[in-house]
Amino acid sequence: MSRLTIAKTYKMYIGGKFVRTESGRSIVVENTKGEIAAHTCHGSRKDFRSAVESASNAFTSWSGITGYLRGQILYRMAEMLEGRREEFAAAIQVTQKITPAKAKKEVDASVDCLVRFAGWTDKYQQVLGCSNAVAGDYYNFTVPQPQGVVAVIAPPAPSLLGLVALLGAPLCAGNTIVAVGSDLNPIPTAILGEICQTSDIPAGVINLITGKQSELFEHIASHRQVAGIYSAALSKKNRILIETGSADSVKRVRFNSFSDEDWYDGDKVASPWNIEPFVELKTIWHPSAC
Amino acid sequence: MRKPIDTVMVEQRATSFTRRSIKTESKQQGLRLALSMIDLTTLEGKDSPEKVRSLCHKAITPWECEIEPPLPSVAAVCVYPSLVQVAKRALEGSGVSVASVATGFPSGQYPLSVRLNDVVEAVKSGADEIDMVINRGAFLSGCMEEVADEIAQVRVACGNSHLKIILETGELETLENVRIASDLAIRAAASTGPINDGEVFIKTSTGKVSPAATMPVTLVMLEAIRDYYEETGVRIGMKPAGGIKTAKQALHYLVMVKETLGDDWLNSNLFRFGASSLTNDVLRQISKQQTGSYAATYDFSEA
């Protein structure tokens, strides 16, 4: 007798748990042949809000641990991703007509990107901060500090690499993340939650939502608890919508435009200048050591 | 003869109250009602006069904003006896009551004379309401007479101040015990003289023991109040305390009160929430409906 295959129910990852959307809605994901490949959650603004709550609660501990420890945790995430290369490569190919080699290359670049950010966790302070010259017997330092909850709006493609590269930058500095995954292919976003859960990332530090991004722009921008927004590949109309909505709460909004090749250029996507928009620079006086 | 408590059915019934849909206008009304029922509470060893004064300011004006119609004040500020005078002065003329815990809160493990004196001192300092704890040790050992007698003596010591009787349901083990304790408390309070509406409350918890207020526990207590009302026509108040942190939970409780006791109980004279962090979540939801954007937690002053 032939075996009935068990298809995975894709859920969102909020507050360290795999949850269905509170709205009860789902999206049918079709593969490149137009067949039904999967159903994913169609997340709502309420899901976004509850994700922000989780991220906000997780911020104190995530920003409080040492950069060294954060680096180890991000590296662990890279290890987990490496161990599931095949699964992610297959997930990437569900909705996009790309070769298996290209899909693997995207997974590899995502792993490398995480490793780069793992490295930056205890080094970005030295690059972005400074010791300021003063005319007296004391010190004046400028030190970067994470802001809080950063919302990430992933590009349609590359569906995995785009998400990882955008969330890595604010994450490594100690911000907590609410990411809305690719509209084009939500499956890598859905399974990235499993990587987070098995890699010592504390609950609430990374929250992953799938759904229709355009529905959420307004709510992401106007939510006052969100300190920053990081996105790429948005239309001008949507950029204006987000910037206008963010003005009231003075959010940091960063739109990058990476070309297809740029995404694979670690120096570009994992540059400390992509971390810089999501830190506050605090300048402090310090008495001389002697 | 009362039927024994059916734990499974109580839990199912309590869950059913969380499935009502309350939106827009009625949600706004519900949120304002919940706000007006809060006993803003601080019961910590580190409480200082300044902390209490700041809490009193928040009690009178929960949120500094221009909003029509203006937001109500909360019902009361709940503090330890040594801070009653500070709260009394800060709340003068505001309509917000001062509640004080007493009787050796939270354990109640002190000689009766000390506990009664605690009440007398709190009343003397100006407490409008006294939140007493019952003697759980005696209750669980089956010394019902002793528990009842102590409650009666505390009510006498309260004089004109209102009395809230904390059962500490988290320590009572079963819902049946919660019901027995509720009936016992109500009858003991009634034994010392007639009860006007709102003069006597039963209250779930001190907030120092987990679990604190839960919906099934509150439902059992509401049913005790309902049965007593049907028997005597006397309205006893209800105060769930501890663990109610979100506006959504507060609305669930209001639904439960309405569907168990009716509209008569939907005011701060007969129903209270013992809480502190609830206030800001209620304000956050009110502001969402007013401004359209979702507020940050730091947009509101600390409770």
Side-chain angles (χ1 to χ4, degrees):
Chain A
M1 212 166 85
S2 69
R3 184 178 169 272
L4 192 63
T5 51
I6 303 296
K8 187 187 279 185
T9 304
Y10 293 105
K11 296 190 189 178
M12 303 191 297
Y13 184 66
I14 297 177
K17 293 200 168 75
F18 293 98
V19 294
R20 292 189 178 86
T21 166
E22 61 76 41
S23 66
R25 303 177 300 177
S26 62
I27 290 176
V28 175
V29 181
E30 290 183 353
N31 65 17
T32 48
K33 293 179 203 143
E35 298 156 352
I36 295 178
H39 291 264
T40 55
C41 288
H42 182 169
S44 68
R45 62 196 159 92
K46 286 190 184 166
D47 293 317
F48 175 74
R49 264 188 233 160
S50 73
V52 173
E53 290 308 289
S54 299
S56 181
N57 292 335
F59 176 68
T60 314
S61 60
W62 181 245
S63 59
I65 61 174
T66 60
Y68 178 68
L69 179 54
R70 268 204 304 279
Q72 287 182 316
I73 294 172
L74 286 194
Y75 191 86
R76 175 92 179 144
M77 209 176 148
E79 286 175 3
M80 290 295 149
L81 194 53
E82 175 86 30
R84 290 171 67 172
R85 280 175 84 216
E86 306 287 333
E87 187 186 355
F88 273 92
I92 290 166
Q93 291 175 83
V94 169
T95 64
Q96 289 160 275
K97 278 187 181 152
I98 53 175
T99 61
K102 177 97 198 287
K104 283 218 176 92
K105 190 180 157 208
E106 185 183 329
V107 181
D108 292 348
S110 307
V111 174
D112 295 350
C113 185
L114 278 174
V115 171
R116 277 176 180 263
F117 282 123
W120 276 118
T121 53
D122 59 357
K123 296 172 194 73
Y124 80 92
Q125 299 89 338
Q126 293 89 308
V127 177
L128 302 178
C130 56
S131 171
N132 305 308
V134 285
D137 190 20
Y138 39 77
Y139 296 118
N140 183 277
F141 301 114
T142 296
V143 289
Q145 295 183 328
Q147 290 191 291
V149 179
V150 173
V152 166
I153 302 166
S159 53
L160 175 66
L161 178 57
L163 174 67
V164 168
L166 292 193
L167 69 77
L171 181 70
C172 82
N175 295 291
T176 52
I177 307 294
V178 178
V180 188
S182 158
D183 273 354
L184 182 67
N185 186 358
I187 299 175
T189 308
I191 46 182
L192 191 67
E194 295 168 21
I195 299 297
C196 298
Q197 218 199 18
T198 48
S199 60
D200 308 331
I201 291 271
V205 168
I206 298 178
N207 301 276
L208 301 167
I209 290 174
T210 54
K212 297 209 163 86
Q213 291 185 341
S214 57
E215 246 179 48
L216 297 172
F217 289 148
E218 207 182 317
H219 302 285
I220 296 172
S222 68
H223 196 308
R224 294 177 56 86
Q225 190 94 31
V226 176
I229 298 176
Y230 190 17
S231 187
L234 284 177
S235 69
K236 189 174 181 197
K237 189 177 139 241
N238 287 331
R239 291 202 302 268
I240 291 172
L241 181 73
I242 289 174
E243 284 182 324
T244 314
S246 299
D248 184 48
S249 52
V250 214
K251 280 186 201 13
R252 298 283 185 82
V253 179
R254 173 71 165 225
F255 301 124
N256 268 343
S257 60
F258 293 120
S259 70
D260 285 351
E261 285 129 50
D262 287 348
W263 285 111
Y264 292 87
D265 183 344
D267 287 339
K268 279 200 176 126
V269 292
S271 149
W273 299 111
N274 294 332
I275 302 173
E276 189 262 351
F278 306 106
V279 294
E280 294 287 356
L281 294 171
K282 183 164 97 177
T283 298
I284 47 173
W285 296 88
H286 191 279
S288 167
C290 45
Chain B
M1 193 57 197
R2 174 177 66 79
K3 281 188 207 151
I5 299 293
D6 180 342
T7 306
V8 174
M9 287 313 291
V10 167
E11 278 165 7
Q12 288 211 350
R13 176 89 180 123
T15 310
S16 73
F17 298 119
T18 66
R19 309 236 164 92
R20 309 283 188 271
S21 176
I22 301 169
K23 303 280 182 203
T24 56
E25 186 60 23
S26 39
K27 184 174 176 188
Q28 192 68 235
Q29 294 285 344
L31 291 170
R32 283 168 174 266
L33 182 60
L35 185 63
S36 75
M37 290 171 160
I38 291 173
D39 279 6
L40 206 54
T41 303
T42 182
L43 295 169
E44 286 171 20
K46 65 179 181 183
D47 287 348
S48 63
E50 204 46 54
K51 161 110 192 260
V52 170
R53 273 192 283 272
S54 131
L55 195 73
C56 291
H57 180 79
K58 176 134 185 122
I60 300 167
T61 316
W63 185 28
E64 310 274 357
C65 66
E66 285 171 18
I67 186 168
E68 279 305 321
L71 290 179
S73 299
V74 306
V77 168
C78 183
V79 293
Y80 271 119
S82 62
L83 291 158
V84 167
Q85 283 183 344
V86 177
K88 190 76 186 169
R89 225 168 292 141
L91 293 171
E92 210 172 351
S94 68
V96 179
S97 303
V98 180
S100 170
V101 295
T103 69
F105 180 94
S107 68
Q109 297 282 23
Y110 297 88
L112 183 60
S113 59
V114 174
R115 283 183 274 153
L116 288 173
N117 197 43
D118 198 9
V119 175
V120 172
E121 290 296 327
V123 172
K124 220 187 280 173
S125 306
D128 306 300
E129 301 168 2
I130 297 293
D131 289 28
M132 71 165 287
V133 287
I134 65 163
N135 188 338
R136 283 92 73 193
F139 179 87
L140 292 170
S141 332
C143 306
M144 304 301 177
E145 289 299 313
E146 189 184 340
V147 180
D149 184 51
E150 287 176 4
I151 293 171
Q153 292 192 51
V154 171
R155 177 149 195 245
V156 171
C158 281
N160 291 328
S161 298
H162 292 184
L163 174 66
K164 304 195 200 101
I165 306 163
I166 302 172
L167 310 181
E168 194 63 300
T169 52
E171 293 182 343
L172 297 185
E173 315 285 348
T174 64
L175 288 178
E176 183 66 31
N177 277 350
V178 170
R179 177 62 197 243
I180 293 170
S182 305
D183 289 342
L184 179 100
I186 293 169
R187 280 170 210 286
S191 70
T192 63
I195 298 173
N196 292 324
D197 288 359
E199 273 183 356
V200 172
F201 275 67
I202 49 176
K203 173 174 167 184
T204 57
S205 335
T206 58
K208 305 287 183 199
V209 169
S210 184
T214 64
M215 292 197 65
V217 156
T218 308
L219 179 59
V220 168
M221 293 169 71
L222 289 173
E223 283 173 353
I225 292 171
R226 181 193 61 197
D227 293 349
Y228 189 73
Y229 172 71
E230 281 171 0
E231 191 186 314
T232 64
V234 174
R235 292 185 183 87
I236 302 293
M238 175 69 206
K239 177 176 171 184
I244 304 168
K245 291 187 163 53
T246 66
K248 194 179 228 174
Q249 281 176 299
L251 292 176
H252 293 159
Y253 275 84
L254 291 183
V255 169
M256 181 159 66
V257 173
K258 184 179 164 66
E259 295 187 19
T260 310
L261 295 172
D263 291 351
D264 285 359
W265 267 263
L266 285 181
N267 59 68
S268 62
N269 195 30
L270 283 168
F271 190 79
R272 298 282 180 83
F273 290 108
S276 39
S277 52
L278 172 64
T279 316
N280 278 355
D281 197 57
V282 170
L283 294 175
R284 207 173 177 198
Q285 309 312 322
I286 291 175
S287 91
K288 167 71 176 76
Q289 293 208 316
Q290 289 288 322
T291 63
S293 62
Y294 208 67
T297 43
Y298 45 75
D299 283 337
F300 305 101
S301 61
E302 268 182 47

